[in-house]
Amino acid sequence: MKDYVQEPNLFKGLSDSQLENIIGSGFHRNLKPKSVLFHQGDPANRIYMVKRGRLKLSMLNEQGGEVIIRFINSGETTAAVASLKDKDYPVTAETVGETEVTGWDKATILGLMSDYPAIAINLLNTVLERINEVQQRYLELSTERVEQRIARSLLRLMQSTGLKKPEGILINFPLSREDIAKLSGTTLYTVSRTLSKWGKIGWIKSGRERITITDPHALVLFSENV
Amino acid sequence: MKDYVQEPNLFKGLSDSQLENIIGSGFHRNLKPKSVLFHQGDPANRIYMVKRGRLKLSMLNEQGGEVIIRFINSGETTAAVASLKDKDYPVTAETVGETEVTGWDKATILGLMSDYPAIAINLLNTVLERINEVQQRYLELSTERVEQRIARSLLRLMQSTGLKKPEGILINFPLSREDIAKLSGTTLYTVSRTLSKWGKIGWIKSGRERITITDPHALVLFSENV
DNA sequence: CGCTCTATTGATAAACCTCAAATACAGTGG
DNA sequence: CCACTGTATTTGAGGTTTATCAATAGAGCG
């Protein structure tokens, strides 16, 4: 029955049958890899939950510079607050791999909230976490060196999507050097050099769009200690 | 009766008498310049509105690096979501100049929200604006050069606290080169050099902790165009 | 008028980006 | 199974941006 991988944040604390009801009230979309769910500047008229796969949220500036704000993994939601306010949302959401999402429009989600008050509470929690995370990353971007930021990016991805393997913890989706660069505020060249170095000293193993962290402890120490 | 400078966001749409009632239900504090209202890591048990003066919100990392997240001007609120969740708030709030704040604890604000539903709506608006602003600044920090970011910082301050003067628009509170540096993700030296340059070409006039923007248009063009 | 905090400016160095070119890798179709 | 093609990655050389350090000057306060 539950075909999403993790317990969805927004619906935490609800029973399976309530969940089934809620999911049923949304509309579903199956998206191919690298398709755009919504685009920077679109009116945010829907809240989305990822049931399977993953979304990449990014922002673009006028000169073409791009950053990745975060990934939305299965069970997580996005555009929640914006969709309630009918504002334009300055973020693009693109699928990473085959991805299934459920969406609700504003009226539906408001109805759900009044039926299940837990949802409003969960929404507040989610919003708080998101603000804190962006601010934390803003601090890091402003005060830390590139390699430290790359380490932090990998560790965050490890925590959210890591898969235990005999050789270490695999970041379990296709992730290019350029993605890491846009997550860390640097260039793909610097990322490549850094990962090469870390490969040589045994902290990670990496291939084409694949990264395994073989010495998480070393990486954590490095990310915190200089 | 209204002794705060701007219409408070959180209480927009309420009548003066309702406002009076709400303000009355909070507790008030008068703070000297540079005093700390709450400290990074404190439990966020109160929501604050600035009635007079200004708060500087900053974050510190383990190595002592600091950023200024934003200023909270009179009429604005802070720690809103965090205070509803009883979480630690990773931000320090320090007064800039003589400052008067009103605070409400969680129970009180929840009561106010159920009496005046507009407050919950306004809260959502505020949260959305804050997320968007941090993300926007994250993008800028990641993709733009120092001088461009300094220009954007000054322009934001001009918009929120600018005061028309014969010679230009004055940023109306004491603001050091170091403050600007921590807002823009650079060092006070680079800020000083940049402001000197802009002073020479007539874009700004600056003194000790005082900045007047004499050619806003030029600065806007510069901030957007490279 | 000394003290303290802020700002300026020059010299130097470090971190990191940019550009260019070569190499590796994963599919695809024969 | 293999050559082919389009990406992704690596690596080197060189240049730019910006931080760091040091020293001086200016402003405000008691």
Side-chain angles (χ1 to χ4, degrees):
Chain A
M1 192 57 53
K2 284 207 212 171
D3 52 357
Y4 36 84
V5 177
Q6 301 173 317
E7 182 84 6
N9 280 305
L10 192 60
F11 306 118
K12 197 157 59 177
L14 301 180
S15 72
D16 281 11
S17 66
Q18 289 174 325
L19 254 174
E20 214 177 317
N21 178 22
I22 289 169
I23 304 261
S25 71
F27 67 94
H28 306 271
R29 289 185 65 185
N30 238 312
L31 297 158
K32 290 200 193 315
K34 304 200 181 186
S35 40
V36 171
L37 178 59
F38 54 83
H39 194 276
Q40 187 163 353
D42 286 354
N45 47 17
R46 295 217 166 88
I47 182 173
Y48 292 99
M49 187 190 82
V50 175
K51 290 181 73 178
R52 189 169 57 89
R54 182 169 282 101
L55 294 173
K56 180 167 84 179
L57 299 190
S58 60
M59 286 177 83
L60 214 66
N61 74 1
E62 306 87 22
Q63 281 94 43
E66 190 181 359
V67 292
I68 296 178
I69 298 289
R70 60 174 290 132
F71 289 93
I72 305 292
N73 299 304
S74 77
E76 298 179 331
T77 49
T78 192
V81 179
S83 70
L84 295 178
K85 303 310 311 174
D86 298 316
K87 293 267 178 71
D88 285 359
Y89 197 47
V91 165
T92 297
E94 185 184 302
T95 57
V96 180
E98 194 90 9
T99 299
E100 214 176 322
V101 301
T102 303
W104 297 269
D105 60 22
K106 184 182 164 184
T108 308
I109 198 77
L110 286 175
L112 289 173
M113 277 183 174
S114 78
D115 291 348
Y116 309 104
I119 296 178
I121 309 283
N122 292 338
L123 176 62
L124 272 184
N125 274 319
T126 304
V127 167
L128 181 60
E129 263 167 34
R130 298 285 159 89
I131 289 194
N132 285 347
E133 195 196 310
V134 191
Q135 288 183 350
Q136 177 63 34
R137 286 182 53 201
Y138 183 84
L139 172 64
E140 290 167 7
L141 185 55
S142 188
T143 60
E144 296 176 354
R145 297 282 160 71
V146 169
E147 295 198 344
Q148 201 173 350
R149 303 199 307 262
I150 295 173
R152 292 203 192 263
S153 295
L154 294 186
L155 289 169
R156 283 208 182 84
L157 293 171
M158 183 187 88
Q159 283 209 310
S160 57
T161 73
L163 190 65
K164 273 218 179 84
K165 292 273 180 182
E167 49 190 1
I169 301 172
L170 171 70
I171 294 174
N172 197 22
F173 64 96
L175 181 73
S176 70
R177 304 295 185 262
E178 186 160 17
D179 287 332
I180 299 172
K182 285 175 180 167
L183 261 180
S184 311
T186 179
T187 62
L188 75 99
Y189 307 104
T190 298
V191 171
S192 176
R193 278 180 240 275
T194 303
L195 297 193
S196 290
K197 191 164 79 176
W198 292 349
K200 277 172 197 144
I201 60 181
W203 292 2
I204 64 167
K205 268 194 167 43
S206 71
R208 188 191 177 92
E209 301 196 309
R210 259 185 71 267
I211 293 173
T212 305
I213 297 172
T214 48
D215 191 347
H217 188 62
L219 208 55
V220 168
L221 275 183
F222 176 81
S223 77
E224 288 174 352
N225 234 322
V226 158
Chain B
M1 193 56 53
K2 284 208 209 172
D3 52 356
Y4 35 81
V5 178
Q6 300 174 319
E7 182 82 8
N9 281 305
L10 192 59
F11 306 118
K12 197 158 59 178
L14 300 179
S15 72
D16 281 10
S17 66
Q18 290 174 326
L19 254 173
E20 215 176 316
N21 178 22
I22 289 169
I23 304 261
S25 71
F27 67 95
H28 306 272
R29 289 185 65 184
N30 238 313
L31 297 158
K32 292 200 191 315
K34 304 201 181 182
S35 40
V36 171
L37 178 60
F38 54 83
H39 194 276
Q40 185 162 354
D42 286 353
N45 47 16
R46 294 215 166 91
I47 181 173
Y48 292 99
M49 187 190 81
V50 176
K51 287 181 76 180
R52 189 169 58 88
R54 184 169 280 102
L55 295 173
K56 179 167 86 178
L57 299 190
S58 61
M59 288 177 81
L60 214 67
N61 74 0
E62 304 89 21
Q63 282 94 43
E66 189 181 359
V67 292
I68 297 178
I69 298 290
R70 60 174 289 132
F71 289 93
I72 305 293
N73 299 304
S74 79
E76 298 180 330
T77 48
T78 191
V81 178
S83 70
L84 295 178
K85 302 312 308 173
D86 297 315
K87 293 267 179 69
D88 285 359
Y89 197 47
V91 166
T92 297
E94 184 184 304
T95 57
V96 179
E98 194 90 9
T99 299
E100 213 178 321
V101 302
T102 303
W104 296 267
D105 61 21
K106 183 182 165 182
T108 308
I109 198 76
L110 286 175
L112 288 173
M113 276 181 173
S114 78
D115 291 347
Y116 309 105
I119 296 179
I121 310 283
N122 292 338
L123 176 62
L124 272 183
N125 275 319
T126 304
V127 167
L128 180 60
E129 263 166 34
R130 298 286 159 89
I131 290 194
N132 284 347
E133 195 197 311
V134 192
Q135 287 181 352
Q136 178 63 34
R137 287 182 52 201
Y138 183 84
L139 172 64
E140 290 166 7
L141 186 54
S142 187
T143 59
E144 295 176 356
R145 296 283 161 74
V146 170
E147 296 199 342
Q148 201 172 351
R149 302 198 308 262
I150 294 174
R152 291 202 192 265
S153 296
L154 294 187
L155 290 169
R156 283 207 182 86
L157 293 171
M158 182 187 88
Q159 283 208 311
S160 57
T161 73
L163 190 65
K164 273 215 179 87
K165 292 273 179 183
E167 49 191 1
I169 300 171
L170 171 71
I171 293 173
N172 198 22
F173 65 96
L175 182 73
S176 70
R177 305 293 185 263
E178 186 160 17
D179 287 332
I180 299 173
K182 285 174 179 168
L183 260 180
S184 311
T186 178
T187 64
L188 74 99
Y189 308 105
T190 299
V191 170
S192 176
R193 279 181 238 278
T194 304
L195 297 193
S196 290
K197 191 163 81 177
W198 292 351
K200 279 172 197 144
I201 59 181
W203 291 3
I204 65 169
K205 270 192 167 43
S206 72
R208 187 191 175 92
E209 301 197 311
R210 258 185 73 265
I211 293 172
T212 304
I213 298 173
T214 48
D215 191 345
H217 188 61
L219 209 56
V220 168
L221 275 182
F222 176 81
S223 77
E224 288 174 350
N225 234 322
V226 159

